[in-house]
Structures are given as C-alpha cells and as structure tokens.
Amino acid sequence: MRIDVVTLFPEWFEWFASQRHVANAVGLGHELGFVDLRASTPLNAGQVDDTPYGGGAGMVIRVDVVEAALEERYGAAPPPHRTVALSPGGKQFDDALASELAAEPALTLLCGRYEGFDERVNEHLATDVVSVGPYVLSGGEVAAMVVADAVIRKLPGALGHEESVVEESFSEALEGAPEYPHYTRPFEWRGHSVP
Ligand code: SAM
C-alpha cells in the first residue's frame, strides 16, 4: 500500500520512517510519502491558515490550501482513495479500523495544526475523520504516526514475526479483548514467581 502524510512538519517523520517495521514495509514494496502543505499553498509567503469566521482564538487551516496540496500530489481533490483527517472530535481509532485501513491500496493522512482544519476539509476532502483519543495534541503529526504505525505493523512481513499480529490485544483472535500477560526469565523475582 501507499501511505502519504500531509503535514506542515514533514521532518517529524524522518525518525518514524527509519524504524525497523516501517523500513521493512518499504523494503517489501510499500510506500511512505510526505506532502508539505506549505510547498503548494496558493497563498503568498507560505500562508496556510486564516482567522476564523465569527471570531475566536487561533488560526484555522484553509480548505483551498489542503485542496491545492491534494491536487498537486494526486491530480484530484478529494483523492481517489481513503483519506483520513485527524481530529480530536473524530471517530475513535481502534484495531478494527487499523485492519480496515491496512487492507486499502492507498491511504492519505491529513495532519491539522492550530485550531484545526476548516470543517469543509473534513466534510469534502476526507473520507474519514479520526481521533486517536479523547485529548488534544498540538498537531496531527503524532496522531498520524499512531495510525500509520498501527496500520503498517499489520502489513504482512513488516514485523518479521507474523503470529504477533494475529494474536494481539483487541484482535479478532482474542475477540477484541486485551492480550494475556507475558512473563520471561527470571522465574523467581523478589519473591514473585511466574504463575
Ligand atoms: N481546536 C481543536 C479542538 O478543540 O478540537 C484542537 C486542534 S489541535 C490543537 C490541532 C490538530 O491536532 C488537529 O487539527 C488534529 O489534526 C490534531 N489532533 C489533536 N488532538 C488529536 C487527537 N486526539 N486525535 C487526532 N488528531 C488530533
């Protein structure tokens, strides 16, 4: 599959891309790309955001800026594949959605910043609006890494030990339940032995 991350901070992903399972997936033919929102903005001086209609604090990422980035990358906005806008108010990310996304041929992750995206991005340029939890991060980059990590480790061959993915917390094999506890040596530790 191909995963593209649309972000104002592509350099955040250099470390992520160098991780073993991500590099394994790329070695197997999967692709991970980054689209810098500022690189294709139609506005002057790299502007990507604007003040909110109706007032209020903070800036909002403009819909025409996201549209321009998608058009430059795919020749179409919305793209012809699954496109996830990351937002604290979105649908809660879970193992079932990770499996669903891992089965897609392509996935675009849209990282917000500031007050977030103009709502028309969520409504008209994304297929899904997804939250990684009921808390607010400073930007969508860490959330995109959560989604990309959970998706990539489900790609056959990415982990190098397939059984770990099949029988894992929240997987179908465990009927959505957390995994059983694990123990390793020493058998006896400060009076606590392996049950
Ligand atoms: N004003 C927004 C609100 O109150 O819901 C928060 C915006 S947040 C500071 C900036 C960006 O971080 C969001 O547009 C989103 O892309 C990302 N973000 C923050 N928390 C997130 C979460 N829990 N899940 C997914 N994305 C999140």
Side-chain angles (χ1 to χ4, degrees), residues 86-88 111-116 130-133 135-140 143:
L86 294 152
S87 168
C111 303
R113 275 270 154 184
Y114 321 125
E115 280 304 310
V130 170
S131 169
V132 295
Y135 44 77
V136 178
L137 301 166
S138 306

Side-chain angles (χ1 to χ4, degrees), residues 16-36:
F16 180 74
S18 73
Q19 298 309 298
R20 171 76 64 89
H21 63 300
V22 181
N24 283 349
V26 170
L28 289 166
H30 300 289
E31 294 170 276
L32 181 62
F34 308 101
V35 177
D36 185 346

Side-chain angles (χ1 to χ4, degrees), residues 16-136:
F16 180 74
S18 73
Q19 298 309 298
R20 171 76 64 89
H21 63 300
V22 181
N24 283 349
V26 170
L28 289 166
H30 300 289
E31 294 170 276
L32 181 62
F34 308 101
V35 177
D36 185 346
L37 259 186
R38 243 182 256 287
S40 53
T41 178
L43 308 175
N44 291 331
Q47 182 188 346
V48 295
D49 54 359
D50 226 319
T51 50
Y53 280 121
M59 300 293 275
V60 176
I61 299 189
R62 287 175 53 139
V63 62
D64 51 349
V65 168
V66 179
E67 177 186 42
L70 296 174
E71 268 175 357
E72 172 136 326
R73 172 70 187 83
Y74 306 110
H81 57 254
R82 206 79 180 256
T83 299
V84 170
L86 294 152
S87 168
K91 172 187 168 162
Q92 193 94 3
F93 187 58
D94 61 11
D95 191 69
L97 183 54
S99 295
E100 197 181 307
L101 295 177
E104 297 283 344
L107 171 65
T108 294
L109 300 172
L110 304 175
C111 303
R113 275 270 154 184
Y114 321 125
E115 280 304 310
F117 291 116
D118 182 303
E119 188 60 22
R120 290 167 290 186
V121 171
N122 299 336
E123 287 174 355
H124 303 293
L125 296 179
T127 55
D128 306 69
V129 183
V130 170
S131 169
V132 295
Y135 44 77
V136 178

